[in-house]
Amino acid sequence: MDPFLSSLRNRRAQIQARIEREQARPAPDSLKLYGLKKLKLRFREQIEYLERLNREGQATVPPVIRRRSFTPAMARPRA
C-alpha cells in the first residue's frame, strides 16, 4: 500500500477519534465538531481521489495543499 495513502487513512482515523471524544462531552462544541467533520471529509476526498488514480493505472502524484498566509489589512504596508 502507498505510504502516503496509509498516512491519510491514519490521520482520518485520528480525526474520527477526536470527533467521537468531542461528541461524548456533556456539552459538545458545535463549531469544533463542524470543523473536524469538514477536515475528515477533505481526507476522505483525497483518499478516494488517490484510489481512483491507482485503479486507472495513472501515476500517483499526491495533491499538495498549502496553507494560505493571512496578513490583516491593517498590517499591510500602504502603497
Side-chain angles (χ1 to χ4, degrees):
M1 181 186 296
D2 185 14
F4 182 71
L5 194 56
S6 63
S7 71
L8 283 177
R9 286 188 177 126
N10 186 27
R11 290 174 67 186
R12 185 170 182 256
Q14 291 173 356
I15 296 296
Q16 178 62 37
R18 288 177 60 188
I19 289 171
E20 290 170 1
R21 276 197 311 268
E22 185 65 30
Q23 287 177 335
R25 289 181 44 199
D29 184 358
S30 60
L31 289 177
K32 188 174 189 178
L33 279 172
Y34 177 75
L36 288 170
K37 287 180 179 182
K38 277 192 77 103
L39 186 60
K40 182 182 163 191
L41 177 64
R42 289 186 71 194
F43 279 121
R44 187 186 86 192
E45 290 171 346
Q46 283 186 335
I47 290 167
E48 288 175 353
Y49 172 76
L50 292 174
E51 287 175 341
R52 187 174 48 242
L53 284 180
N54 284 340
R55 278 194 307 267
E56 294 172 359
Q58 298 176 5
T60 305
V61 179
V64 177
I65 299 174
R66 295 189 177 141
R67 294 179 185 244
R68 293 184 185 185
S69 61
F70 175 73
T71 306
M74 301 176 91
R76 293 184 193 143
R78 295 183 185 209

